[in-house]
């Protein structure tokens, strides 16, 4: 079997797999009950079932490996033997295409896919050769690294002030609970910055990243200088500037639009890993900055050093960005195909076959119709293009999607309450120092990747996503209940164990929630300015804002009641999300 024959077979298998999924989706849409997962599980192990040939393709992988190995061996010894292969060798592009096809067939059940869906970056199923060549032109490895570095630095910037925010507020004459507003002001600005950054990325990626770096540089300098000016206003304005520099929408969009499909899953997993690492490094770095000195009129201590350190970090990042970032190629309407060489002309027959295979299985009208998720009326009657406003995006949200966004809001609210009030609560109840708080928060952040590895590699293969979703919600609720201070003295083991249960369960819930959200969300929300990533970002950011405002408002009732008062809304929202999940349970696939 030649490489091109195998490539034809791989495309044939993939088209059949997609066709089977779309047929089952059609049944789900007609009957209003989603039994796709049940059908596949019950039929796949039947002795006469052909589904195993689609799902288990180890033999195909072995053939691809053998062809690749033999090809390289022939090229290394070309001319050494009398061989018919000396006259015509298999182009390396065919080998790459075979590997990409096997990867697309294999990617749906591994850890990288689970971690990638954590970022809510949509994955296409069958890119055409034209789209793949355009993706290769747009892709630039160093630009991807710069986007991931932006995510990493921004998450450090978000959490580096958490251990010292209460001390900084008191040093400026404000109550300790004002730390909620100090931390949350960054999220307030992010609500608006996410929209304009998402729209700006339609035209450029470089300029938004430069603007982000400048805004964060200015914001961190203002945050650090507020101490010497004795001004809480400058402190809050500095954090607002930092929020205006949130380019996470650009980072997501770059991965979705400019990274080839064969690398997109790894890039998405890198996005989540960079966020998790930044979340852990932020508090840990704050714990190391326990010193005090003065240079001219500027004070450097545990309160101001986070601002100065991050300002220096963003300055060097901006220099690196200007030197190394490459604006991706943007295809115009006149771009049809890449220039063909004599080697590429051999694949014309293969491309024609692929197109011929697709037409009988999925006619164009049916394919377009089936590509729409969950069958909203607006989708069947209106345009197939992306949503052009928040209102039109909201109208595309089905009940299942709304419940998933509510769950995302709940888990972000609960996590923000735990993290933002940690310094105030631990100082009041246990007398912890800044270093102790920093170590506690860093340990929480370090659980993110191990938890995702366990869920993505093992638990998700043993249970349905909706089962993990409901169990995680219940565990978050248990963690919240255990955190309440009722009657008995509040102890360190109670706080640490309940916080760990809540945080780890919320992390598991976030991964499964975004995985389900990427499946039940309309395909029209996978592109354009008002996309699914933007909606989830807005829901999470709004939750953080509400949580931080709750902490500040509860502070007026006194630190004695702060813990219980802030946990009560978390409990109510969590119970509501559990009930909503139960009502939509049958539609969560």
């Amino acid at each position: 079997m030649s490489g091109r024959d195998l490539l034809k077979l791989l495309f044939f298998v993939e088209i059949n797999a997609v066709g089977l999924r779309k047929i089952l989706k059609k049944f789900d849409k007609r009957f209003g009950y989603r039994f796709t997962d049940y059908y596949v599980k019950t039929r796949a192990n039947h002795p006469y079932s052909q589904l195993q040939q689609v799902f288990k393709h180890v033999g195909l992988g072995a053939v691809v490996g053998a062809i690749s190995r033999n090809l390289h061996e022939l090229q290394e010894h070309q001319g050494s033997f009398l061989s018919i292969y000396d006259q015509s060798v298999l182009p390396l592009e065919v080998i790459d295409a075979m590997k990409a096809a096997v990867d697309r067939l294999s990617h749906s059940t591994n850890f990288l896919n689970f971690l990638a869906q954590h970022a809510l970056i949509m994955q296409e199923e069958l890119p055409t050769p034209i789209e793949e060549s355009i993706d290769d032109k747009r892709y630039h490895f160093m630009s991807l690294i710069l986007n991931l570095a932006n995510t990493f630095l921004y998450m450090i910037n978000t959490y580096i002030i958490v251990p010292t925010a209460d001390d900084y507020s008191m040093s400026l004459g404000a109550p300790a609970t004002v730390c909620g507003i100090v931390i949350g002001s960054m999220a307030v600005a992010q609500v608006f910055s996410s929209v304009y950054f998402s729209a700006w990325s339609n035209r450029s990626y470089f300029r938004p990243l430069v603007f982000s770096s400048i805004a964060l540089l200015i914001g961190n300098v203002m945050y650090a200088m507020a101490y010497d000016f004795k001004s809480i206003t400058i402190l809050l304005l500095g954090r607002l500037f930092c929020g205006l520099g949130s380019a996470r929408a650009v980072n997501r969009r770059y991965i979705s639009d400019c990274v080839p499909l064969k690398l997109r899953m790894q890039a998405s997993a890198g996005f989540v890993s960079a966020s998790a690492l930044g979340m852990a490094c932020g508090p840990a770095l704050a714990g190391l900055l326990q010193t005090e000195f003065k240079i001219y009129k500027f004070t450097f201590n545990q309160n101001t050093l986070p601002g100065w350190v991050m300002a220096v970090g963003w300055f060097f990042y901006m220099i690196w960005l200007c030197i190394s970032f490459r604006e991706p190629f943007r295809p115009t309407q006149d771009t049809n195909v890449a220039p063909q060489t004599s080697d590429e002309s051999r694949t014309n027959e293969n491309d024609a076959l692929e197109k011929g295979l697709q037409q009988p299985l999925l006619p164009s009208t049916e394919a377009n119709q089936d590509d729409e998720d969950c069958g909203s009326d607006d989708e069947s009657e209106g345009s197939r293009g992306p949503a052009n406003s928040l209102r039109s995006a909201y109208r595309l949200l089905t009940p299942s999607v709304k419940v998933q966004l509510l769950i995302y809001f709940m888990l972000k609210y609960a996590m923000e309450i735990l993290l933002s009030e940690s310094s105030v609560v631990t100082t009041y109840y246990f007398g912890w120092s800044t270093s102790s708080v920093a170590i506690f928060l860093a340990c929480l952040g370090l659980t993110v990747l191990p938890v995702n590895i366990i869920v993505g590699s093992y638990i998700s293969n043993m249970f349905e996503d909706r089962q993990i979703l409901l169990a995680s919600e219940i565990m978050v609720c248990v963690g919240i209940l255990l955190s309440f201070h009722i009657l008995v003295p509040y102890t360190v083991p109670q706080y640490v164990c309940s916080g760990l249960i809540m945080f780890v369960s919320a992390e598991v819930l976030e991964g499964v929630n975004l995985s389900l959200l990427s499946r039940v969300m309309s395909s029209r929300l996978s592109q354009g300015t008002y996309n699914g990533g933007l909606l989830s970002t807005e829901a999470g950011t709004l939750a953080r804002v509400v949580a931080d405002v709750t902490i500040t408002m509860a502070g007026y009732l006194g630190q004695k009641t702060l813990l219980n008062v802030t946990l009560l809304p978390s409990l109510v929202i969590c119970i509501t999300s559990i009930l909503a999940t139960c009502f939509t349970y049958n539609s969560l696939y």
Side-chain angles (χ1 to χ4, degrees):
M1 178 187 290
S2 71
R4 290 194 186 88
D5 291 334
L6 179 59
L7 187 57
K8 294 173 186 177
L9 177 60
L10 288 171
F11 270 96
F12 179 78
V13 173
E14 184 173 12
I15 290 168
N16 276 273
V18 174
L20 174 63
R21 182 188 65 80
K22 292 187 175 183
I23 290 170
L24 290 171
K25 184 190 287 188
K26 196 73 173 177
F27 275 99
D28 294 343
K29 184 177 176 181
R30 289 283 186 267
F31 292 110
Y33 183 89
R34 306 193 69 142
F35 54 86
T36 297
D37 205 48
Y38 170 78
Y39 176 87
V40 171
K41 283 185 176 179
T42 55
R43 299 301 190 276
N45 293 321
H46 193 277
Y48 300 108
S49 173
Q50 303 298 313
L51 290 177
Q52 290 293 344
Q53 298 181 29
V54 176
F55 299 142
K56 296 187 177 180
H57 35 268
V58 179
L60 291 176
V63 174
V64 172
I67 291 178
S68 304
R69 184 175 62 254
N70 293 336
L71 172 64
H72 286 294
E73 185 177 345
L74 285 171
Q75 287 180 327
E76 288 174 3
H77 300 88
Q78 191 169 6
S80 301
F81 325 103
L82 289 175
S83 172
I84 59 171
Y85 296 105
D86 286 344
Q87 303 301 321
S88 175
V89 296
L90 193 63
L92 291 175
E93 290 80 6
V94 177
I95 296 293
D96 293 337
M98 287 190 297
K99 290 180 178 178
V102 172
D103 288 342
R104 287 198 302 271
L105 284 171
S106 306
H107 83 283
S108 60
T109 57
N110 57 24
F111 162 64
L112 278 183
N113 183 58
F114 179 83
L115 205 59
Q117 288 175 326
H118 206 303
L120 199 63
I121 296 171
M122 304 291 186
Q123 306 279 342
E124 292 111 3
E125 287 173 349
L126 277 172
T128 64
I130 297 173
E131 291 170 340
E132 287 183 339
S133 66
I134 291 175
D135 276 347
D136 289 336
K137 288 183 181 179
R138 292 162 67 84
Y139 176 62
H140 182 230
F141 176 73
M142 188 54 68
S143 300
L144 173 61
I145 295 298
L146 282 162
N147 273 277
L148 297 181
N150 183 279
T151 297
F152 173 69
L153 285 175
Y154 184 79
M155 293 303 291
I156 292 180
N157 213 142
T158 300
Y159 290 99
I160 194 173
I161 71 157
V162 173
T164 58
D166 57 335
D167 288 338
Y168 205 166
S169 301
M170 289 190 292
S171 69
L172 298 180
T177 52
V178 172
C179 70
I181 292 295
V182 174
I183 297 170
S185 56
M186 191 170 177
V188 171
Q190 189 179 343
V191 171
F192 303 99
S193 67
S194 296
V195 178
Y196 71 73
F197 269 122
S198 183
W200 200 352
S201 62
N202 291 328
R203 300 186 298 276
S204 173
Y205 295 98
F206 176 69
R207 293 188 186 93
L209 291 176
V210 171
F211 177 82
S212 166
S213 305
I214 294 172
L216 283 156
L217 174 61
I218 295 173
N220 281 292
V221 170
M222 292 177 67
Y223 180 85
M225 294 180 66
Y227 187 88
D228 294 302
F229 282 97
K230 301 294 181 185
S231 172
I232 191 72
T233 303
I234 295 178
L235 182 74
L236 294 175
L237 286 175
R239 289 297 285 178
L240 282 171
F241 264 89
C242 289
L244 291 175
S246 170
R248 285 171 66 81
V250 178
N251 305 144
R252 273 194 178 105
R253 189 76 180 275
Y254 184 88
I255 294 173
S256 177
D257 292 352
C258 303
V259 177
L261 183 63
K262 59 187 176 183
L263 299 175
R264 196 169 303 159
M265 192 183 307
Q266 290 90 329
S268 303
F271 177 85
V272 176
S273 301
S275 300
L277 191 59
M279 184 179 179
C281 289
L285 187 58
L288 297 175
L289 301 176
Q290 303 297 306
T291 186
E292 185 169 357
F293 57 92
K294 254 194 169 186
I295 298 179
Y296 298 107
K297 296 181 180 180
F298 299 112
T299 303
F300 296 83
N301 57 25
Q302 65 174 10
N303 296 326
T304 62
L305 275 172
W308 291 119
V309 168
M310 292 311 302
V312 172
W314 285 111
F315 176 75
F316 283 109
Y317 172 81
M318 186 165 54
I319 294 175
W320 182 24
L321 181 72
C322 294
I323 294 173
S324 302
F325 191 86
R326 189 176 75 190
E327 190 71 56
F329 165 77
R330 291 181 179 271
T332 62
Q333 292 181 350
D334 295 332
T335 303
N336 293 322
V337 280
Q340 262 193 352
T341 65
S342 58
D343 290 335
E344 291 171 341
S345 63
R346 298 179 184 178
T347 61
N348 287 339
E349 181 184 351
N350 179 49
D351 294 342
L353 175 64
E354 293 161 13
K355 294 176 182 177
L357 284 172
Q358 292 179 27
Q359 290 174 0
L361 287 171
L362 299 171
S364 58
T365 55
E366 287 295 320
N368 290 336
Q369 183 178 359
D370 286 346
D371 276 340
E372 304 302 325
D373 288 30
C374 300
S376 121
D377 290 336
D378 283 314
E379 286 181 276
S380 58
E381 295 175 4
S383 168
R384 303 294 182 186
N388 53 18
S389 68
L390 280 175
R391 184 178 178 183
S392 60
Y394 180 79
R395 286 202 308 233
L396 292 172
L397 303 183
T398 62
S400 299
V401 176
K402 291 177 182 177
V403 169
Q404 295 307 304
L405 290 175
L406 171 64
I407 294 171
Y408 194 66
F409 179 93
M410 178 273 292
L411 68 91
K412 285 297 183 183
Y413 182 91
M415 290 172 67
E416 188 71 10
I417 289 290
L418 173 65
L419 298 175
S420 295
E421 71 177 11
S422 59
S423 58
V424 179
V425 170
T426 54
T427 300
Y428 177 77
Y429 284 105
F430 318 125
W432 280 9
S433 64
T434 299
S435 298
S436 301
V437 179
I439 292 171
F440 172 68
L441 294 178
C443 290
L444 287 180
L446 289 173
T447 63
V448 175
L449 284 180
V451 166
N452 280 303
I453 290 173
I454 293 171
V455 175
S457 299
Y458 302 104
I459 298 179
S460 62
N461 293 328
M462 299 166 59
F463 301 98
E464 296 179 12
D465 280 355
R466 58 180 182 173
Q467 293 174 330
I468 303 173
L469 182 86
L470 187 56
S472 301
E473 288 180 88
I474 294 172
M475 290 306 298
V476 170
C477 189
V478 170
I480 294 172
L481 288 171
L482 292 176
S483 299
F484 277 94
H485 177 207
I486 303 174
L487 301 178
V488 297
Y490 206 56
T491 61
V492 172
Q494 180 185 352
Y495 178 76
V496 171
C497 292
S498 60
L500 192 62
I501 291 172
M502 187 196 309
F503 188 84
V504 170
S505 301
E507 278 299 324
V508 174
L509 180 60
E510 182 175 4
V512 179
N513 168 249
L514 293 181
S515 175
L516 281 169
L517 191 59
S518 66
R519 289 186 231 164
V520 300
M521 188 174 283
S522 167
S523 60
R524 289 176 61 187
L525 292 174
S526 65
Q527 52 187 327
T529 301
Y530 302 94
N531 51 64
L534 176 65
L535 293 179
S536 64
T537 300
E538 293 291 285
T541 305
L542 186 61
R544 290 173 53 204
V545 171
V546 175
D548 291 324
V549 170
T550 302
I551 293 171
T552 301
M553 299 300 292
Y556 290 105
L557 301 176
Q559 293 189 24
K560 183 178 180 180
T561 59
L562 175 68
L563 181 65
N564 289 347
V565 170
T566 52
L567 287 174
L568 191 59
S570 301
L571 181 62
V572 173
I573 300 172
C574 186
I575 293 173
T576 303
S577 69
I578 291 173
L579 294 175
T581 302
C582 292
F583 278 112
T584 59
Y585 188 77
N586 289 333
S587 63
L588 298 179
Y589 277 101

